[in-house]
């Protein structure tokens, strides 16, 4: 049976890039990390003292729940008779 | 264990660096356990891992740029290397791609390490501290040195980078800390064995009027990394005094070696969060070897003459 779990969005978060084997990251991936960290620093320079706080890493279960929610869209509980 | 370069066959240390000088001055027994017997905690200190990768990343960046690489290329290269250095590859590739290093520290983590490297390079992108170019055309970056201390001893170490600043020449050093960066933080480096040693050796190796050390300090917090630059000056009279004190330390180490008695400095046991060997010294002498073997490792021994 094919896996029908929806795929993650193309835009990768820093946490997702950090979780990959670094030798498999492309130059574009590295540039994306650098750019995002620079953006964080710019926000810090403007006074945001938590600008560089690492993203909370999502569990596999959480990522799957979010992917399913994205695929199904908003759920109307009344349509389910709830 | 391969033969150590910095010790005579008798076990007497003949090549000294700031780390081993500081160890003996802190406590001869600590020096004995750590440098003569080579015991160290099984789990490497997070501060050493974090600070080591951070400093080497910045050092390599300057080497790449001095070699002609663009700043973006050099940044990319050191970022990837830092990510590899903090990635645990399985012994068997069949076991998967590996996992990120877990520091088990609230602020010094893989994420904050990578952030700190990029933020530093971004903040000092247009820095006014160019690397000194030596007379043979090579940049003074990543410089491991060995110089005669006396006819019997050598002094060795590693200078990350020699820079020019406001008409003076300085050794550049990186420090990371969890503390707030104040004037008190920088005052901790005077007196300091490492900073004086850098300046003393820098003058001899490069034959240049090295004024002291610039410390680029990074305060590592969960949500940010803050940088401050401090200047550590060392006039010649202070360097002369450092040299005399260091010789006295080395002679004391020789006397301890000859008598095979490395006394405890019992006033140092609680410093900096407590000595790692405190629990060893607390036990009866007849039990110490067993506890050391159970809780420490001798996998690698500090050997100052080994090049990085």
């Amino acid at each position: 049976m094919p896996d029908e779990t929806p795929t993650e969005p193309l835009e990768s978060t820093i946490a997702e890039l950090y979780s990959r084997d670094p030798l498999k990251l492309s130059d574009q991936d590295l540039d994306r990390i650098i750019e995002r960290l620079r953006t964080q620093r710019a926000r810090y320079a403007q006074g945001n003292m938590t600008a560089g706080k690492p993203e909370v890493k999502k569990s596999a279960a959480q990522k799957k729940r979010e992917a399913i929610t994205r695929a199904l869209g908003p759920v109307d509980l009344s349509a389910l008779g709830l | 264990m391969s033969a150590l370069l910095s010790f005579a066959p008798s076990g007497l240390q003949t090549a000294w660096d700031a780390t081993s000088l500081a160890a003996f001055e802190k406590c001869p027994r600590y020096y004995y356990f750590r440098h003569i017997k080579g015991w160290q905690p099984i789990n490497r200190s997070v501060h050493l891992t974090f600070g080591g990768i951070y400093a080497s990343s910045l050092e390599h960046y300057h080497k790449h740029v001095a070699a002609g690489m663009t700043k973006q290329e050099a940044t990319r290269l050191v970022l990837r290397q830092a990510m590899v250095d903090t990635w645990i590859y399985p012994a068997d590739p069949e076991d998967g791609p590996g996992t990120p290093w877990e520091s088990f520290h609230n602020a010094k983590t893989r994420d904050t390490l990578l952030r700190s490297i990029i933020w530093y390079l971004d903040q000092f992108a247009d820095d006014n501290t160019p690397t000194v170019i030596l007379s043979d055309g090579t940049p003074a970056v990543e410089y491991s040195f060995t110089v005669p201390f006396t006819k019997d001893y050598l002094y060795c170490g590693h200078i990350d980078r020699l820079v020019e600043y406001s008409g003076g020449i300085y050794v550049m050093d990186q420090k990371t800390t969890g503390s707030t960066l104040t004037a008190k933080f920088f005052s901790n480096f005077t007196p300091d064995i490492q900073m004086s040693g850098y300046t003393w050796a820098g003058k001899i190796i490069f034959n240049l009027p090295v004024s002291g050390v610039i410390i680029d300090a990074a305060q590592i917090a969960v949500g940010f990394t803050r940088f401050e630059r401090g200047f550590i000056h060392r006039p010649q009279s202070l360097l002369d005094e450092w040299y005399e004190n260091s010789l006295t330390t080395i002679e004391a180490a020789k006397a301890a070696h000859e008598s095979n008695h490395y006394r405890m400095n019992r006033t140092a046991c609680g410093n900096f969060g407590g000595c790692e060997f405190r629990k060893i010294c607390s036990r009866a002498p007849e039990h110490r070897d067993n506890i050391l073997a159970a809780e420490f490792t001798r996998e690698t021994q500090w050997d100052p003459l080994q090049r990085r």
Side-chain angles (χ1 to χ4, degrees), chain A residues 14-15 17-28 30-31 33-34 37-38 40-41 44 48-55 57, chain B residues 71-72 75-77 79-80 83-84 87 89 97-98 100 102 109-112 114-115 118-120 122-123 222-227:
Chain A
I14 285 190
L17 290 167
Y18 282 178
S19 68
R20 291 197 220 159
D21 177 353
L23 292 174
K24 302 249 169 81
L25 293 176
S26 66
D27 283 354
Q28 289 74 20
L30 295 171
D31 285 345
I33 294 171
I34 293 166
L37 291 174
R38 284 177 177 156
Q40 282 183 357
R41 195 182 82 80
Y44 167 69
N48 182 343
M49 299 299 282
T50 58
K53 194 170 179 183
E55 294 171 17
K57 293 178 182 66
Chain B
K71 289 180 177 177
Q72 183 68 11
T75 304
R76 207 185 282 142
L77 204 57
L79 173 64
R80 188 193 297 279
M83 293 180 80
V84 168
W87 187 263
Y89 286 96
E102 287 287 349
T109 64
R110 185 175 193 249
D111 289 37
T112 63
L114 301 173
R115 177 193 74 201
I118 301 301
W119 283 28
Y120 177 89
D122 204 29
Q123 176 150 337
V222 173
F224 64 89
T225 304
R226 180 173 160 249
F227 304 99

Side-chain angles (χ1 to χ4, degrees), chain B residues 253-275:
Chain B
K254 185 183 178 199
H257 168 76
E258 287 172 348
S259 63
N260 195 27
H261 177 66
Y262 294 83
R263 68 172 185 86
M264 291 181 194
N265 175 10
R266 290 162 294 186
T267 60
C269 304
N271 292 351
F272 305 110
C275 176

Side-chain angles (χ1 to χ4, degrees), chain A residues 9-81:
Chain A
L10 287 176
E11 183 76 1
S12 305
T13 63
I14 285 190
E16 195 276 325
L17 290 167
Y18 282 178
S19 68
R20 291 197 220 159
D21 177 353
L23 292 174
K24 302 249 169 81
L25 293 176
S26 66
D27 283 354
Q28 289 74 20
D29 291 331
L30 295 171
D31 285 345
R32 213 175 298 157
I33 294 171
I34 293 166
E35 190 49 43
R36 288 183 194 187
L37 291 174
R38 284 177 177 156
T39 304
Q40 282 183 357
R41 195 182 82 80
R43 289 210 307 269
Y44 167 69
Q46 289 167 355
N48 182 343
M49 299 299 282
T50 58
K53 194 170 179 183
E55 294 171 17
V56 177
K57 293 178 182 66
K58 294 174 182 172
S59 66
Q62 171 73 8
K63 282 194 265 187
K64 192 167 183 177
R65 274 198 301 276
E66 288 181 4
I68 290 169
T69 305
R70 272 195 305 275
L72 296 177
V75 177
D76 182 356
L77 294 179
S78 62
L80 299 172

Side-chain angles (χ1 to χ4, degrees), chain B residues 49-307:
Chain B
T49 302
F50 190 102
I53 297 172
Y54 176 78
S56 72
S57 298
L58 304 183
E59 188 181 22
H60 290 149
Y61 170 86
H62 289 290
K63 193 171 190 182
H64 297 324
V65 169
M69 208 176 266
T70 68
K71 289 180 177 177
Q72 183 68 11
E73 286 169 339
T75 304
R76 207 185 282 142
L77 204 57
V78 297
L79 173 64
R80 188 193 297 279
Q81 188 59 51
M83 293 180 80
V84 168
D85 291 344
T86 51
W87 187 263
I88 314 298
Y89 286 96
D92 183 352
E94 295 287 310
D95 292 339
T99 54
W101 166 64
E102 287 287 349
S103 70
F104 302 105
H105 189 274
N106 68 325
K108 289 186 173 177
T109 64
R110 185 175 193 249
D111 289 37
T112 63
L113 169 65
L114 301 173
R115 177 193 74 201
S116 301
I117 293 166
I118 301 301
W119 283 28
Y120 177 89
L121 296 177
D122 204 29
Q123 176 150 337
F124 294 101
D126 301 311
D127 196 14
N128 54 352
T129 55
T131 301
V132 169
I133 304 298
L134 302 175
S135 54
D136 64 359
T138 58
V141 180
E142 291 188 335
Y143 206 95
S144 290
F145 64 84
T146 304
V147 291
F149 210 48
T150 67
K151 66 179 177 56
D152 297 319
Y153 297 102
L154 300 170
Y155 187 74
C156 44
H158 185 89
I159 288 176
D160 288 356
R161 192 160 76 102
L162 198 66
V163 300
E164 292 176 41
Y165 180 82
S166 194
I169 295 174
Y170 295 85
V171 173
M172 174 70 89
D173 196 36
Q174 304 288 341
K175 296 289 178 202
T176 63
T177 179
S179 311
T180 304
L181 297 174
T182 60
K184 186 174 181 306
F185 174 83
F186 292 103
S187 72
N188 289 331
F189 295 102
T190 302
D192 180 82
I193 294 172
Q194 186 183 40
M195 298 303 144
S196 297
Y198 278 150
T199 313
W200 180 84
K203 285 185 168 193
I204 293 173
I205 306 158
F206 302 113
N207 196 24
L208 291 168
V210 179
S211 304
V213 182
I214 295 177
I215 295 179
D216 275 353
Q219 177 192 349
I220 315 294
V222 173
F224 64 89
T225 304
R226 180 173 160 249
F227 304 99
E228 285 290 338
R229 178 164 283 178
F231 293 83
I232 311 296
H233 291 100
R234 287 292 188 270
Q236 189 58 45
S237 54
L238 273 183
L239 295 179
D240 294 342
E241 189 175 55
W242 170 86
Y243 179 79
E244 289 301 323
N245 275 331
S246 300
L247 279 187
T248 306
T249 301
I250 290 172
E251 287 304 321
K254 185 183 178 199
H257 168 76
E258 287 172 348
S259 63
N260 195 27
H261 177 66
Y262 294 83
R263 68 172 185 86
M264 291 181 194
N265 175 10
R266 290 162 294 186
T267 60
C269 304
N271 292 351
F272 305 110
C275 176
E276 64 212 48
F277 294 111
R278 187 173 198 163
K279 62 180 154 189
I280 305 300
C281 295
S282 303
R283 305 298 284 267
E286 62 269 28
H287 298 314
R288 287 177 190 157
D289 284 346
N290 286 341
I291 304 168
L292 280 165
E295 300 187 20
F296 288 75
T297 176
R298 297 172 75 181
E299 202 168 292
T300 54
Q301 188 168 346
W302 187 251
D303 189 3
L305 277 179
Q306 287 281 4
R307 295 286 188 213

